[in-house]
Amino acid sequence: MSTHLSSQVMTITCQGPVHVGSGEILDPTGYIYDQKNKRAYFLNEPAWVHLLASRRLLPSFIDYVKQLQLRKKPLYDWCEANRLMTCDFEQVSVGWAHVPVQPDRDIRYLNTVSLLTRSADGRPYIPGSSIKGALRSAILHHLIKRLSDEQKRRYWQDFVKLVAQSPNPAVMKKESKRLIELLEQNLLHCLSRIDDRGRPMPSSNAVNSVLQGLRVSDAYPVDNAATHLIRKVDWQIVNQQNDPEKYLPLTRECLAPGTKLSCRLTIEPALLAPIGISSISEIMEAGAAFTQHVLALEKSAFASRLRSFFTPYEASNLVIGGGTGFLDKTLVYSLAPHAEAKKAVAALLDKLFTARDRRTGQYGPAHRHVALDNILSPRTLKLGKLQVNRYRMGVCLMEIEPC
């Protein structure tokens, strides 16, 4: 390996359920929930159709699909009635996942299932681009914290102006993206590359980003890790009389807590030098600082009722994947004091998400963040539940693998 590169094999330990989606979402006809073995089999559609045709079951299956919305009958029940067995499911599936029992909220009808990213040979994995994206947010948080109060205030005033003046959600999303790109340009695009004709490349061009010096391979499980189907759960700030847990009709295929994955992280110190990073350990420190920043915000709002929930994550240094919530996807709370950031985020969310009032017919905030987000905005913690244990979605520990 070139002497100007530094490279380490890294171990990622999932401390909460991790879902990096493939974009494929199965409806209840795309998988079979084997209730006896607590497994969900994800059907290979051509193989499934071939099996049904060979058993002369296609007409019956078509009738089942037509009646599904009315009867809400699990596909497993239809299979049992038509003498299709577990060995049949295994032959026509691209993979399977455990379905953990939730004694207090168990459902036989799982609804839609969002699948993990898988390799050509069917192994679940975390794309290197997803890991680099999480580290990018951490590095930006690290650089923002080094700015002077005056510099942070300039960025903050642009954000507050955006929230106040954007006429509709479409404009707000477009302008938010522009502000993020400007922030990233100013903090990361420091390389002053030149093109083939010797002319300076525009500062907006990604080739000028110091993150050209950070490379992460895809992360694969160390062992044959079984995946789990975990239903989306929002824990909300409510009064003591109400149930804070809200179970939503979406189930995600996740890598379970305790799953270990391996990847390679490589840096080119010369390219990262303009932002003062010269080692992999410094990148891990930035990851830890940002992760603990996010968890501290959540702890301020939820620890009174969840008590020791946050204790297992005191060393966490990475938050990755889908279903992890708003806070680890934004740098707003890095730019301003908590109270100011909460107020601006609540106003932003109220403008982005609107709904029609059934009584008045007028459109207004769908979730009333300005009115109800007293401690933190948004007032929701994203959880995954295995058996009776609650976990924070997406939290991981990334370490250099011992030699």
Side-chain angles (χ1 to χ4, degrees), residues 144-145 156 159 180 183 290 293 297 326-327 329-338 340-342 344-345 348:
I144 288 171
K145 288 304 181 183
W156 180 247
F159 177 75
I180 293 168
L183 176 66
F290 182 56
H293 162 76
L297 290 170
F326 176 84
L327 296 179
K329 302 294 192 296
T330 182
L331 295 165
V332 174
Y333 281 91
S334 304
L335 282 169
H338 182 99
E340 286 186 60
K342 179 191 73 67
V345 168
L348 170 73

Side-chain angles (χ1 to χ4, degrees), residues 291-321:
T291 302
Q292 294 306 315
H293 162 76
V294 170
L295 292 172
L297 290 170
E298 295 174 342
K299 191 173 182 180
S300 70
F302 299 101
S304 61
R305 290 193 71 173
L306 286 173
R307 295 187 177 88
S308 60
F309 174 81
F310 293 95
T311 302
Y313 310 127
E314 291 177 351
S316 303
N317 59 7
L318 189 69
V319 181
I320 193 167

Side-chain angles (χ1 to χ4, degrees), residues 90-157:
E90 292 173 344
Q91 290 177 6
V92 297
S93 298
V94 295
W96 61 271
H98 287 295
V99 182
V101 182
Q102 297 177 355
D104 53 340
R105 315 257 186 161
D106 193 22
I107 53 169
R108 298 172 70 233
Y109 189 82
L110 291 176
N111 211 338
T112 57
V113 174
S114 178
L115 298 184
L116 278 170
T117 302
R118 289 178 178 268
S119 62
D121 61 3
R123 287 185 297 162
Y125 73 99
I126 300 176
S129 57
S130 297
I131 302 169
K132 184 174 179 177
L135 294 176
R136 166 188 163 276
S137 296
I139 291 170
L140 282 170
H141 170 79
H142 167 72
L143 296 177
I144 288 171
K145 288 304 181 183
R146 294 194 331 195
L147 295 175
S148 67
D149 290 342
E150 182 181 350
Q151 289 173 311
K152 284 189 280 191
R153 179 58 57 178
R154 281 203 299 269
Y155 289 117
W156 180 247
Q157 287 172 345

Side-chain angles (χ1 to χ4, degrees), residues 202-222:
S203 61
S204 59
N205 196 312
V207 299
N208 283 314
S209 173
V210 296
L211 295 189
Q212 297 287 322
L214 173 62
R215 302 157 208 172
V216 189
S217 73
D218 296 338
Y220 284 89
V222 174

Side-chain angles (χ1 to χ4, degrees), residues 10-112:
M10 311 296 291
T11 298
I12 299 175
T13 303
C14 300
Q15 297 178 309
V18 173
H19 171 79
V20 180
S22 65
E24 184 177 5
I25 298 178
L26 301 181
D27 67 21
T29 64
Y31 64 88
I32 299 171
Y33 174 24
D34 182 343
Q35 300 158 34
K36 295 177 181 177
N37 296 310
K38 296 299 177 185
R39 288 185 177 185
Y41 293 90
F42 310 130
L43 297 174
N44 179 319
E45 189 172 324
W48 172 240
V49 171
H50 183 269
L51 173 66
L52 295 180
S54 68
R55 303 283 181 90
R56 298 182 179 181
L57 291 173
L58 268 178
S60 176
F61 180 68
I62 292 171
D63 289 340
Y64 162 78
V65 173
K66 289 178 179 179
Q67 296 295 319
L68 184 60
Q69 291 303 318
L70 296 175
R71 296 183 181 178
K72 300 291 184 183
K73 180 180 180 181
L75 182 53
Y76 181 83
D77 290 357
W78 180 87
C79 290
E80 273 200 325
N82 287 278
R83 299 182 181 180
L84 292 174
M85 312 301 289
T86 300
C87 58
D88 297 315
F89 309 157
E90 292 173 344
Q91 290 177 6
V92 297
S93 298
V94 295
W96 61 271
H98 287 295
V99 182
V101 182
Q102 297 177 355
D104 53 340
R105 315 257 186 161
D106 193 22
I107 53 169
R108 298 172 70 233
Y109 189 82
L110 291 176
N111 211 338
T112 57

